[in-house]
Amino acid sequence: GLNPRGAKFFGAQWGLVNVGADRAWAAGFRGDPTVRVAILDSGIDVTHQEFGNGKIITSLSKSFFAEPLPPGAPAYLDVHGHGSHVAGIISTNGISFAGVAPDVKLFAVKVSGRAGFTTLGTLAQAIVYAASAGADIINMSFGSSGLSKDDLGTNHLKQVLWLAMNYAHSRGALLVASAGNL
């Protein structure tokens, strides 16, 4: 594959150097091309140059969020930008930006749209789908607000989400969630 250090803006990606990604790449650790990472987010812009050449597994990509899209666009197209940004942190073609694991494959599991909001029920469905589709890693970058800790309905949704996460874990998926998003 391409040398991620050769990406046009690699010099500005100080975070990759801070975590030692460049040293890992030099030692041959670029991610395994058989590893499938499900991106639970606002979708992925599959037309972006960083995601061409089979980087995105379109046959596994799916949307759990309906919104108006350009004619002919796949339902999992990212029109918000966050999902594509997150996907690019994980894996790119290394043209403009480097991804930490440039050789892994990605698939989009769209759970939100332009406004960036989703529900716990949608997340549970998406986690179960991603695990059933064979995701090795399920990446989730979102936060929550407005949930009452004592509300019976919220507690039931949290239980459903917990069951979905346990199901994914039992299928061998590693669930990764961002910390600090509020």
Side-chain angles (χ1 to χ4, degrees), residues 36 131 134-138 165-175:
R36 294 165 295 196
D136 298 294
I137 300 169
I138 299 173
M165 291 187 294
N166 281 331
Y167 170 77
H169 184 266
S170 75
R171 298 280 305 225
L174 171 68
L175 292 103

Side-chain angles (χ1 to χ4, degrees), residues 104-140:
V104 302
K105 303 295 184 200
L106 309 171
F107 67 96
V109 183
K110 186 173 180 171
V111 295
S112 67
R114 287 173 174 83
F117 295 102
T118 191
T119 67
L120 292 178
T122 299
L123 292 176
Q125 284 182 296
I127 290 168
V128 168
Y129 168 76
S132 297
D136 298 294
I137 300 169
I138 299 173
N139 187 84
M140 302 169 284

Side-chain angles (χ1 to χ4, degrees), residues 18-36:
N18 281 354
V19 299
D22 55 337
R23 294 189 310 274
W25 301 327
F29 300 103
R30 299 169 44 96
D32 187 318
T34 65
V35 170
R36 294 165 295 196

Side-chain angles (χ1 to χ4, degrees), residues 33 46 50-58 93 103-106:
V46 295
E50 293 294 2
F51 301 125
N53 300 322
K55 176 68 60 189
I56 308 297
I57 307 169
T58 57
N93 286 324
D103 290 348
V104 302
K105 303 295 184 200
L106 309 171

Side-chain angles (χ1 to χ4, degrees), residues 2 5-6 19 28 34 70 77 83 85 90 106 120 138 157 174 177 181:
L2 292 173
R5 289 185 59 93
V19 299
T34 65
L77 177 69
H85 175 82
I90 297 167
L106 309 171
L120 292 178
I138 299 173
L157 283 171
L174 171 68
N181 280 1

Side-chain angles (χ1 to χ4, degrees), residues 33-119:
T34 65
V35 170
R36 294 165 295 196
V37 181
I39 309 295
L40 273 63
D41 212 294
S42 59
I44 299 176
D45 181 358
V46 295
T47 66
H48 195 286
Q49 67 181 356
E50 293 294 2
F51 301 125
N53 300 322
K55 176 68 60 189
I56 308 297
I57 307 169
T58 57
S59 63
L60 297 180
S61 295
K62 183 174 179 160
S63 179
F64 288 88
F65 187 90
E67 67 180 329
L69 296 171
Y76 52 83
L77 177 69
D78 183 11
V79 292
H80 180 273
H82 190 267
S84 297
H85 175 82
V86 169
I89 291 169
I90 297 167
S91 185
T92 67
N93 286 324
I95 298 165
S96 294
F97 300 96
V100 72
D103 290 348
V104 302
K105 303 295 184 200
L106 309 171
F107 67 96
V109 183
K110 186 173 180 171
V111 295
S112 67
R114 287 173 174 83
F117 295 102
T118 191
T119 67

